[in-house]
Amino acid sequence: MSLVLTLVVGDGGDGDKPARAAATVSPSSSSGSSPGSSAGSGSGASSSAQPTDSGSPSASAPPAGYELRADTEGFRIAVPEGWSRSAVRSQFGMAVVSYRSPDREHRLQVYQVAEESPEASFELYLSDGTPKPDGFQELGLTRLDDGPFTGSRLEYLADRIDREPDVGTWHVIDERFVAQDGRIYAVASYGPDADGRDDELAQVTTAVDWFCPPDTQCDDDPAVD
């Protein structure tokens, strides 16, 4: 099967437990976007994804400081409390959704990927023919396959991310995985490298752990899987 580079219509822009659903991220414009096949900067139309009840009173909740959001694209995800949402259209699958911190220095990006596997998606992104953010520096690519979970995680640095504030060097963790609906999604976390790298890892792993794809029945507590 051939690889497909899916472009986002709109602004350019650019995560290991078996319980996770799958996701995949893609790059957009050459001026600095997220890796993968479908991506956007997320500075497009904003909308309010409402916090959602995690289920019955006995249901587990995401970690302190996070809230579950029922996104208008149909998926469920856990994001830091108080983050705003925006979205841009994609030529493949659902819209590219971004959640940002109030200071806009941290971002979680979610979208559907066109390639047939997380591995193929990263192979495409890391190829010479795919544009990357200015100052792109790969830190590592890790296979996360574990039991029923299939995914890969790319960690990298960039000098600039298109349409995002100047924070110095950006630290990005991009996780692409197969979700419970059999489709591939991407969840990527962006933040300043200057404040350490643990926050991006925590944000992407929490988001993927609690991700439930559209039109899918998922457990209230992903830890039980």
Side-chain angles (χ1 to χ4, degrees):
M1 181 180 296
S2 60
L3 297 180
V4 178
L5 182 63
T6 303
L7 300 179
V8 169
V9 179
D11 296 329
D14 301 328
D16 356 279
K17 291 166 54 179
R20 293 176 173 177
T24 314
V25 178
S26 313
S28 58
S29 70
S30 59
S31 57
S33 56
S34 68
S37 45
S38 326
S41 69
S43 57
S46 62
S47 63
S48 55
Q50 298 298 321
T52 182
D53 191 334
S54 60
S56 63
S58 61
S60 177
Y66 289 81
E67 62 184 359
L68 289 179
R69 305 287 287 269
D71 196 272
T72 54
E73 288 298 310
F75 63 84
R76 179 196 72 184
I77 196 169
V79 302
E81 295 175 344
W83 284 25
S84 61
R85 178 195 185 275
S86 64
V88 294
R89 289 180 297 135
S90 172
Q91 291 182 358
F92 178 80
M94 69 184 195
V96 179
V97 177
S98 292
Y99 289 92
R100 287 184 174 85
S101 62
D103 61 6
R104 297 183 63 83
E105 293 188 353
H106 293 268
R107 179 178 76 172
L108 277 170
Q109 188 179 63
V110 188
Y111 55 93
Q112 190 175 342
V113 173
E115 290 76 58
E116 69 269 24
S117 69
E119 184 178 15
S121 182
F122 280 126
E123 179 181 349
L124 174 61
Y125 178 66
L126 294 173
S127 66
D128 293 339
T130 300
K132 314 217 180 16
D134 293 345
F136 176 84
Q137 178 185 345
E138 181 181 346
L139 298 179
L141 177 61
T142 306
R143 291 283 295 271
L144 303 176
D145 298 358
D146 184 5
F149 181 78
T150 299
S152 296
R153 177 188 295 156
L154 175 67
E155 182 176 8
Y156 66 93
L157 302 177
D159 292 341
R160 187 172 70 88
I161 300 296
D162 191 34
R163 301 175 188 261
E164 298 297 335
D166 182 4
V167 300
T169 300
W170 284 88
H171 175 237
V172 184
I173 297 182
D174 177 354
E175 188 163 320
R176 307 176 190 194
F177 56 95
V178 180
Q180 294 180 24
D181 61 356
R183 296 171 178 166
I184 301 173
Y185 296 85
V187 176
S189 178
Y190 300 74
D193 191 47
D195 67 2
R197 300 174 179 178
D198 291 344
D199 48 354
E200 285 79 47
L201 180 60
Q203 288 159 13
V204 78
T205 55
T206 300
V208 175
D209 282 347
W210 287 88
F211 181 82
C212 183
D215 303 316
T216 303
Q217 180 66 45
C218 300
D219 291 328
D220 288 331
D221 183 359
V224 303
D225 289 344

